[in-house]
Amino acid sequence: MTFILDGVTTPEERLLSGLNPQQREAVLYRGEALLIVAGAGSGKTSVLTRRIAGLLQAREAWPSQILAITFTNKAANEMRERVEAIVGREAADGMWISTFHSACVRILRREAETIGYTKTFTIYDSADSRALIKRILKETDADTMGFTPGSVAARISKLKNELADVDSFARQANFNDPKEALFVEIFRRYSSELERAKAFDFDDLIAQTVYLFRAFPKVAALYQRRFRHVLVDEYQDTNHAQYSLIRELTRPVEAHVAAELEAEQGYSSSQRAADGAIPAASLTVVGDSDQSIYAFRGADIRNIVEFERDFPGAKVILLEQNYRSTQNILDAANAVISNNFDRKDKKLFTTVGGGDKIVGYTGYSGHDEAQFVADEITALHDRGVDYRDIAVFYRTNSQTRALEEIFIRSAIPYRVLGGTKFYERAEIKDAMAYLITVANPDDPMALRRIMNVPKRGIGPATEAALQLHADTRGITLREAMREADQLGLGPKVTGALRELATLLDEEMERAPRTPVPDTLKALLERSGYLEALRNSRDPQDEARAENVEELVAVTREFQRSTPDGTLLDFLTEVSLVAAADELDDSSGTVSLMTLHTAKGLEFDAVFITGVEEDLLPHRMSASEPGGPSEERRLFYVGITRARKKLYLSLAMTRAQFGDVTVAMPSRYLQEIPAELIEWKQSPGMANSRGGSQPRALNARRERGFNLRDSLPPAPSKPRVKTEWTNQVTGKMRDNGDLTLAAGDRIRHTDFGEGRVTSVSGQGAKSIAEVQFDQVGRKRLLIKIAPIEKL
DNA sequence: GATGTGGGACTTTTT
DNA sequence: GTCCCACATC
């Protein structure tokens, strides 16, 4: 009923409603540069969206003049929706709101030819980069000299983030050092392989865009003229390349360049000032140095610290009021972060009351800890908290294993964000490789992957022959394949190569007028890939075939939401999904993710697990400069995600590597005032409580101590190995049609005996609520729980 | 060239 | 505990 509201409020009043004075100032400030220092939960997204909406509403900018950079695609979509909600859909049409990487892809696809690339380039994700590096290491025998794909990939990435390329690096490299000389060689090969494959890696997307802008001022001017308002979220996590990109975009266009451009395009721009130049775009950055957690991938905290020096006359606005968390949670966060000495002191405050105490728990093992988390989640759910409002954080992806296992047993619906996931499965990579060879015939990595998948009798020898032919003739691997009959190979192999080449060529020719799901289906069917999976004797292949079907469904969904989307668009989208993009608010599941992925999100109830030395802070961070401080910020980020309930847990022993190691409570725990935490089981209690485990541990609590060596083999609980696996990987314990009813007595391998109090749900999803004699009430998925009826 | 097996390395975080 | 690779055998 806007017309009624119009009578009492102006658009500006509505734009500012509910904002505090600092937020209002941040929305309304007009000037060349604005830094919003936004503490956790201080409403920065709201400020940013209203700032954009304000510009549009006041007709100070067209939508097409706005470029907003967010950290994830999900954040971009949300921001777009929120702006649209204020100004209307049409009035917001044409804005660029995206991640750094997506924006750069967009620019590079338009301008690729300027820098000698095709606009149909594909993107190598980290796994692709590593695979390529691995190959190069083998070719150069560098793998025997202590080079690992991981270390080389990290080093190259770091260099690219500093905008160094092979040549600039080689110029200052010390060739007397054989390792360094070899690294230059590896770097050089890596770069030329990418170029030959017509592909960019993640870091190239940014670096090449910067290079494009610097080398071609006229191209840069197109964007400098277009984007009058540049806004960057999570500025504390920008690296040098991203910083440079922002600098290039917000540079004024010199008069003669502007004039040249206009002459070429035959129209005159309203942007030109009296002297003929186009003034710099206005820049708004939002960030919080306390939440800088990406130094390991080149994020430079100086970008935000030195903003005022970089942009003289910049306005700085501080947002310190927190609207998210209770006082207890904030007190804990403030206490922890204040131990970082190298920071500007700032304290979040809230007008919300104290809230519940933080709950602490020390488990005997990672499984025990996971059981605590599961039990608490069940209790929260019983009290009416929706699963979607609950999240579990951890430092390393490997910690999900125990959590998933217990969650499935406890019938808690969950979803793991990021980590080893769908697109990293071999069969999905195979299917994707087929698509890539169709979208980008020059990519030899994708072609090599599928050349003998399904088995065609094309082995390493054939591949080498093809490669040799390609190298001597100066053609691509794919072209060499078309000339297979010239190679003097056996008739079977030649036929197989010919057939594959024809298949790929035909699908490539058809692809532009064919929906993506159809292209994928044709490739999978015609290649015999699906058939091979279906006819396989390996029971896992059935699940693999289902996964591939799932990929077809993904392409269908892509085509539905993007009717004009090309195969290349699909591949690009898949390459650039961030872990947090997978968060689905509608799914009604608990979210599991790393602390890094958690940045920018918030939940009613948050569990931070594994709050132990060597895990948080991570062992690897100790040797890095600034490592422990960054780990502390990571913990701080985790704490500040919680709105109402925060749980901190750790384990005294943790399975790692098949070994069990003893863990110590994290130093950060001691930084939280004791009165804020209510321990359900404190480290001391877990330590001194009777029973075989604690005592044995007490005697030998030292780092790295290997339990397996000296612990007596009989723990109190009988160790029954339960047959159990993840849904996705296939096999699962199955109780068949076991049916339970209230009143039944059952035995559970871990929980002992108990009585069923109620049963809910249907079929495979039936859940029994059981009152166990020893361990209390639990919810179990009947089909898979390790139980038997008595 | 395909298939099976034993030994070794490996896990920090991500676009 | 798991993934990957080298090596052996068919």
Side-chain angles (χ1 to χ4, degrees):
Chain A
M1 294 293 150
T2 36
F3 61 93
I4 296 178
L5 281 175
D6 277 345
V8 287
T9 58
T10 64
E12 181 173 304
E13 279 169 318
R14 261 178 289 146
L15 196 67
L16 301 176
S17 71
L19 297 187
N20 67 34
Q22 294 76 32
Q23 290 174 321
R24 283 169 186 240
E25 194 183 8
V27 169
L28 295 176
Y29 178 79
R30 295 293 181 265
E32 273 198 17
L34 168 63
L35 164 63
I36 303 171
V37 177
S42 60
K44 63 166 184 170
T45 312
S46 196
V47 165
L48 219 40
T49 52
R50 294 198 205 199
R51 183 168 166 79
I52 295 171
L55 289 166
L56 297 174
Q57 221 163 42
R59 295 261 185 270
E60 287 173 62
W62 297 108
S64 61
Q65 295 176 328
I66 290 180
L67 170 67
I69 301 289
T70 57
F71 210 66
T72 63
N73 299 296
K74 181 171 183 283
N77 293 337
E78 271 170 17
M79 191 176 288
R80 179 181 302 279
E81 278 162 26
R82 286 171 71 166
V83 172
E84 283 174 354
I86 302 174
V87 302
R89 214 186 179 91
E90 300 87 61
D93 195 43
M95 293 184 299
W96 279 33
I97 305 186
S98 72
T99 62
F100 269 109
H101 289 86
S102 300
C104 287
V105 168
R106 219 163 150 179
I107 293 169
L108 286 173
R109 288 232 189 272
R110 288 185 185 197
E111 319 291 346
E113 272 139 33
T114 311
I115 52 171
Y117 248 77
T118 57
K119 56 177 132 209
T120 55
F121 61 84
T122 44
I123 299 164
Y124 273 27
D125 65 19
S126 338
D128 299 329
S129 298
R130 281 171 81 114
L132 175 55
I133 289 167
K134 200 169 189 175
R135 215 183 127 75
I136 294 170
L137 291 184
K138 251 200 204 119
E139 286 169 5
T140 54
D141 285 330
D143 46 353
T144 58
M145 291 190 49
F147 286 95
T148 64
S151 64
V152 172
R155 189 153 177 216
I156 291 179
S157 172
K158 208 163 200 158
L159 285 167
K160 288 188 179 183
N161 285 331
E162 291 295 320
L163 294 179
D165 60 7
V166 206
D167 294 325
S168 63
F169 179 74
R171 252 175 264 132
Q172 51 82 56
N174 170 17
F175 283 89
N176 292 326
D177 177 351
K179 276 194 90 170
E180 180 130 332
L182 187 52
F183 175 75
V184 171
E185 169 66 11
I186 296 165
F187 193 4
R188 194 173 294 288
R189 284 195 191 212
Y190 175 75
S191 305
S192 65
E193 280 292 313
L194 272 180
E195 212 174 314
R196 283 221 316 231
K198 301 290 191 314
F200 288 127
D201 66 18
F202 279 140
D203 305 310
D204 284 335
L205 295 176
I206 316 288
Q208 291 293 326
T209 308
V210 172
Y211 164 75
L212 168 79
F213 284 167
R214 288 193 178 159
F216 302 92
K218 247 187 333 191
V219 175
L222 287 173
Y223 296 89
Q224 289 155 347
R225 186 180 61 179
R226 171 180 174 150
F227 296 125
R228 305 314 304 152
H229 299 273
V230 177
L231 305 95
V232 186
D233 197 4
E234 307 285 6
Y235 191 69
Q236 76 282 354
D237 282 323
T238 50
N239 59 37
H240 181 69
Q242 292 167 330
Y243 166 82
S244 305
L245 182 73
I246 294 302
R247 290 234 78 163
E248 291 306 321
L249 279 168
T250 56
R251 203 178 280 290
V253 180
E254 289 173 46
H256 74 274
V257 179
E260 251 179 86
L261 206 60
E262 290 187 3
E264 266 173 39
Q265 301 187 327
Y267 87 104
S268 72
S269 159
S270 56
Q271 307 299 343
R272 293 180 71 176
D275 63 358
I278 299 174
S282 90
L283 174 65
T284 303
V285 303
V286 189
D288 176 5
S289 39
D290 286 338
Q291 294 184 63
S292 161
I293 55 174
Y294 281 105
F296 75 91
R297 69 171 201 215
D300 193 341
I301 206 161
R302 281 175 305 177
N303 289 349
I304 194 162
V305 176
E306 295 174 6
F307 185 82
E308 291 170 78
R309 199 206 60 197
D310 287 342
F311 298 90
K315 170 89 177 164
V316 180
I317 296 174
L318 266 65
L319 305 181
E320 289 180 299
Q321 181 167 0
N322 176 292
Y323 295 92
R324 180 185 295 153
S325 310
T326 64
Q327 190 66 55
N328 277 339
I329 292 170
L330 278 189
D331 284 347
N334 281 328
V336 167
I337 200 67
S338 67
N339 286 284
N340 273 1
F341 51 90
D342 51 351
R343 68 187 278 274
K344 268 192 205 164
D345 196 43
K346 90 176 168 278
K347 277 227 156 60
L348 294 173
F349 66 96
T350 177
T351 55
V352 180
D356 292 346
K357 278 195 175 185
I358 295 164
V359 178
Y361 183 82
T362 311
Y364 294 118
S365 65
H367 272 87
D368 188 20
E369 179 194 31
Q371 190 63 57
F372 160 78
V373 174
D375 290 345
E376 291 294 332
I377 289 175
T378 302
L380 287 170
H381 188 249
D382 286 348
R383 282 178 10 219
V385 180
D386 202 303
Y387 287 129
R388 87 192 62 176
D389 297 320
I390 303 171
V392 183
F393 303 156
Y394 36 83
R395 178 69 231 282
T396 67
N397 283 305
S398 60
Q399 288 168 257
T400 54
R401 203 163 296 156
L403 289 164
E404 284 196 75
E405 194 173 319
I406 302 289
F407 279 20
I408 289 186
R409 282 195 209 171
S410 312
I412 293 171
Y414 68 90
R415 168 148 207 178
V416 181
L417 307 194
T420 55
K421 49 173 191 221
F422 190 62
Y423 290 102
E424 285 167 22
R425 298 179 163 280
E427 63 274 18
I428 299 305
K429 281 185 155 179
D430 293 339
M432 292 293 291
Y434 269 102
L435 288 178
I436 292 168
T437 53
V438 164
N440 178 6
D442 294 321
D443 186 340
M445 284 246 299
L447 186 56
R448 272 193 212 102
R449 182 174 186 102
I450 56 150
M451 211 177 310
N452 199 31
V453 181
K455 303 253 179 297
R456 299 185 173 90
I458 303 172
T462 308
E463 190 191 310
L466 273 179
Q467 188 64 60
L468 182 68
H469 183 67
D471 290 345
T472 46
R473 297 279 311 274
I475 57 178
T476 66
L477 198 61
R478 175 73 168 273
E479 286 161 341
M481 207 164 75
R482 295 194 189 110
E483 301 177 0
D485 20 11
Q486 303 172 20
L487 292 179
L489 296 161
K492 237 178 101 184
V493 174
T494 309
L497 285 170
R498 158 150 306 252
E499 200 181 321
L500 178 60
T502 311
L503 164 65
L504 295 177
D505 285 345
E506 283 175 8
E507 290 307 325
M508 188 165 79
E509 196 272 325
R510 255 164 36 91
R513 21 185 186 88
T514 311
V516 181
D518 295 357
T519 300
L520 177 57
K521 272 188 289 186
L523 285 165
L524 294 172
E525 294 292 346
R526 294 184 61 189
S527 66
Y529 187 84
L530 262 181
E531 206 190 336
L533 284 183
R534 291 199 188 108
N535 296 339
S536 160
R537 284 175 297 119
D538 184 346
Q540 297 241 322
D541 280 344
E542 202 182 320
R544 295 202 178 99
E546 278 168 33
N547 284 330
V548 173
E549 295 288 358
E550 179 61 28
L551 182 67
V552 177
V554 172
T555 60
R556 252 189 238 116
E557 175 54 27
F558 162 80
Q559 202 78 86
R560 196 193 57 74
S561 64
T562 332
D564 298 336
T566 64
L567 174 55
L568 206 52
D569 292 335
F570 173 70
L571 294 175
T572 304
E573 195 176 294
V574 169
S575 310
L576 298 182
V577 285
D581 293 338
E582 297 163 30
L583 189 66
D584 178 0
D585 305 320
S586 63
S587 65
T589 60
V590 175
S591 300
L592 274 60
M593 68 192 87
T594 64
L595 285 160
H596 283 89
T597 302
K599 192 179 71 159
L601 304 176
E602 59 180 273
F603 298 89
D604 282 346
V606 163
F607 292 81
I608 303 179
T609 63
V611 190
E612 298 149 25
E613 283 296 299
D614 287 347
L615 206 49
L616 188 69
H618 196 277
R619 175 192 296 265
M620 295 294 172
S621 73
S623 52
E624 285 161 24
S629 302
E630 177 145 315
E631 297 285 307
R632 190 178 275 109
R633 290 194 294 271
L634 198 51
F635 189 41
Y636 173 80
V637 165
I639 294 172
T640 53
R641 302 304 95 197
R643 285 195 280 254
K644 297 176 188 146
K645 295 282 294 181
L646 177 64
Y647 301 80
L648 303 177
S649 64
L650 61 151
M652 304 212 19
T653 66
R654 200 164 278 283
Q656 219 173 10
F657 230 153
D659 269 349
V660 177
T661 51
V662 173
M664 300 284 283
S666 167
R667 68 192 76 171
Y668 305 144
L669 277 176
Q670 286 162 20
E671 296 169 0
I672 300 175
E675 66 272 18
L676 295 179
I677 306 183
E678 178 193 323
W679 287 97
K680 292 227 166 157
Q681 182 157 288
S682 72
M685 288 156 74
N687 226 354
S688 57
R689 207 170 95 172
S692 53
Q693 277 172 327
R695 270 183 211 289
L697 293 182
N698 249 344
R700 298 289 300 272
R701 293 194 75 204
E702 55 189 309
R703 265 193 185 196
F705 159 54
N706 191 336
L707 264 184
R708 205 198 251 166
D709 297 340
S710 55
L711 206 64
S716 52
K717 275 190 246 169
R719 273 202 172 265
V720 180
K721 178 144 175 129
T722 57
E723 230 179 274
W724 176 92
T725 54
N726 191 309
Q727 286 134 318
V728 201
T729 41
K731 266 200 327 206
M732 183 184 264
R733 181 194 167 88
D734 194 339
N735 289 326
D737 335 319
L738 175 69
T739 50
L740 294 176
D744 287 347
R745 294 271 315 165
I746 58 144
R747 181 185 295 120
H748 186 285
T749 53
D750 288 354
F751 303 145
E753 294 186 17
R755 197 174 57 79
V756 177
T757 53
S758 70
V759 176
S760 58
Q762 301 225 327
K765 292 201 171 128
S766 305
I767 290 167
E769 204 161 280
V770 182
Q771 181 66 44
F772 285 99
D773 304 340
Q774 311 292 329
V775 295
R777 207 161 49 85
K778 308 271 179 195
R779 298 170 79 240
L780 306 168
L781 208 51
I782 295 172
K783 196 169 167 57
I784 59 158
I787 50 175
E788 58 178 334
K789 206 161 157 181
L790 294 178

